[in-house]
Every structure is written in structure tokens, then in C-alpha cells.
Amino acid sequence: MAARKGSRRAPAGAPSGSVGHGEFVVYPGVPSGIYDVLERLSAAAGDSPDLGTTGISLDRTRLTVRWFGDLPAGVQAVLDSAGEGLEVVVQPTEFRPGDLRAVAVRLAGEHGDVVAAASARPEGDGIEVLVPPVVAEAAGGPQQALAAAGVSSDVPLFAEIGAAPPS
């Protein structure tokens, strides 16, 4: 069974059961060394808005860390100490993940009638926005619904039809 790990709790307003910034899900069959690196990364990065999502490859040999800007020395030291058999790849993000998370919260709060849910994309290149089916259909599509409601952002919005995940 999967278990949630990490030194921080899910942020206020996050759906119940969701994984918060700096947390990760532990799955059976994944080498514990990966989780050791993730725990140390979480501790070294703290609440840095530069830390994005992390990902584990399907073959469980590569850890991808998404980061905005230059890595602090402490974070680099953690990644350098990953050990044999684990490749660590740092993938730069176009936008600061913390800024994307803040924009997503703002959009969902200000435009709740058009934005069912919003979240920073794992790639760090914009915001995923879910538009309720009824609203999207009435406007001719999810992107048109956002435009008609005046929903805009300085970062790219990737609109799809959907409902908010259950809380």
C-alpha cells in the first residue's frame, strides 16, 4: 500500500488526501534509496518556491527533480550523494513552481464559477485549469470559456474540461 511521506503537510485548501509541496507518495517495490534522497531533498530545499515536482522513472533507476534557477549548494550536495544505481536528473522549469502554485490558487479563488480546479503543471511551464463541462459547452470549449469570463494570467493556461477532484 502507498503511504504519504514528507516533512510538510498538505497546504490549506488542498483536497483531502492530496500530496502537498515537499511531500511524496511511497510505493511498494521502489528502492528505499530513492526515498532517502527525496527526504533529504525535502529537508535541504525547505519551502523553496524553486522546487517543483519530482518523478521516479518506471524502471525505478532515475529520479527527476524539477527546479527553477540555480541549485543551492545544500540541494546539489543531496543530489550528488544519491549513490550507485540511481541517476538524478535536474530538469529546469520555465517558471518558478511556487509562483505557479500561487497563480493556480488565485485563479480558482477568483473564478470559481469557471475554474473547477487549477494546479501548477509538473513540467513548470504553466497552469492546468479544469473548466466544468456545462460551462465549457456553453462557451464552445474550455479555452473559450476562460476567455469569455476574463480569466487570464501571465503564465500559459492549459484548459481542459473536467470537474474538481473530490475533497
Side-chain angles (χ1 to χ4, degrees):
M1 174 174 276
R4 185 171 33 186
K5 297 280 281 184
S7 58
R8 288 174 291 269
R9 297 175 187 226
S16 174
S18 69
V19 179
H21 178 64
E23 292 185 327
F24 52 91
V25 177
V26 175
Y27 293 100
V30 175
S32 62
I34 291 177
Y35 294 117
D36 176 58
V37 172
L38 284 170
E39 285 180 356
R40 291 185 293 122
L41 171 63
S42 183
D47 290 329
S48 174
D50 296 334
L51 175 62
T53 59
T54 56
I56 301 170
S57 65
L58 292 176
D59 67 359
R60 297 169 176 87
T61 61
R62 185 178 58 249
L63 175 65
T64 301
V65 176
R66 294 176 182 93
W67 193 274
F68 180 82
D70 296 328
L71 290 174
V75 170
Q76 185 66 61
V78 167
L79 301 182
D80 289 344
S81 69
E84 297 261 338
L86 177 60
E87 175 189 6
V88 177
V89 176
V90 177
Q91 185 178 63
T93 62
E94 184 176 349
F95 299 99
R96 177 171 275 119
D99 294 346
L100 293 176
R101 289 187 292 272
V103 170
V105 167
R106 180 184 62 77
L107 290 175
E110 291 178 0
H111 303 283
D113 53 333
V114 179
V115 176
S119 62
R121 286 173 47 97
E123 300 83 0
D125 61 351
I127 307 288
E128 290 183 3
V129 178
L130 291 179
V131 177
V134 172
V135 175
E137 289 171 20
Q143 203 66 42
Q144 294 87 335
L146 294 179
V151 178
S152 64
S153 173
D154 292 339
V155 298
L157 301 179
F158 296 84
E160 295 183 21
I161 298 172
S167 327

